[in-house]
Amino acid sequence: MENTLFWLIFFTLGWTFIDGSEMEQDFMWHLRKAPRVVSERTFHLTSPTFEADPKMVLKKVCGIECQKELPAPSLSDLEESLSYETVFENGTRTLTRVKVQGLIHEPTPNITTKGASVRRKRQVYGTDSRFSILDKRFLTNFPFSTAVKLSTGCSGTLISPSHVLTAAHCVHDGKDYIKGSKKLRVGLLKMRNKGGGKKRRGPKRSRREANGGEPREGGRENVKERARAGRGRKGSARGQGLAGGRPSFQWTRVKHTHIPKGWATGGRGDAALDYDYALLELKRAHKKKYMELGISPTIRKLPGGMIHFSGFDHDRADQLVYRFCSVSDESNDLLYQYCDAESGSTGSGVYLRLKEPDKKNWKRKLIAVYSGHQWVDVHGVQKDYNVAVRITPLKFAQICFWIHGDDADCSYG
């Protein structure tokens, strides 16, 4: 059984290790030209009340089947949805109107599996296929080290030295900002020494060193060790025996948060699942390797049709949980998949590992944000799916603009 787990993880994590084959030709990152999102005007708004209750599951969401029956949005509709709110740590808020230039409509055909019957509400489908990452040689190494925990109970991903991408519903319910988001904090994984807790041994310098730097990536035997230690394990990470220490978090305040108006409607219409993403700028930059942002390819360009993401599921307190699964359906903006996940993992970055063109190396890029377990309208019937919001060329341009403030850095993705 242990050997089976080892090879399963090894081949799914490094699916594209095969070279000289058809995989190298088909599964590559192809740079695509992104449109330009430019700021037009910024207005000051009244400060939010920060009184909304967290809402991890939306009701009556217009999903893929529902979207098929809707007309394509006009340019003015897109500009309205991509205009965004910025809320600052002092509680003030602004609205920025944007213009979109150079947009090329690229319709994505839906690839739908045979109609699924109505299911009971659940987020783990059949056998629990999640893996708890317990070995510090993985926790503090890329790509697992890019996963962060939000003080509101969600997950997120580092996508620059100062920015975290997460789901919009983790900080805003579509009408108002949720309780606790005014003093939003982001927890970055670190390892604490054995015997940590109230009694901390060693000078401050040693503790600082534990927060920075990344140990060299372990060999294949460490993958086997992780599989043996982590699969199917539930409960708290507290008291777990780890090589060299136990996981904890270095918490950093959020300087400001960007949310598209497609989600933050302020009560004027329903929040659109297509825009369930938000960007957080940290008050203090980190030194970890971050996940590069990419434009989501179609299902047929996914190695084995698989996606990957890691987050902090609530049923495994303080543990980082990794999973991979196949995508069952897609639209221009959404992915349906059956990754086992519990609340707490929402906001995680969904990523792929593909080959760089004209190079021998492979690169992971974030191509979607896990929105969570949602009820969607399928021909008038409510069905439950695990949904991810795709990074389209337009969303890539917007998020990149939020990060760099200069559209010249966001021409290709």
Side-chain angles (χ1 to χ4, degrees), residues 29 69 76 101 110 165 241 244 281 296 326 347 379 384 389 406:
W29 292 114
E69 303 174 2
S76 60
Q101 302 172 355
N110 290 331
L165 189 64
E281 181 171 344
S296 173
S326 60
H379 307 303
D384 61 313
V389 179
D406 182 0

Side-chain angles (χ1 to χ4, degrees), residues 119 122-127 337-340 373 384-386:
R119 300 187 297 272
R122 53 182 175 173
Q123 293 169 277
V124 174
Y125 299 91
T127 302
Q337 38 78 18
Y338 295 105
C339 283
D340 290 330
H373 184 89
D384 61 313
Y385 291 95
N386 283 344

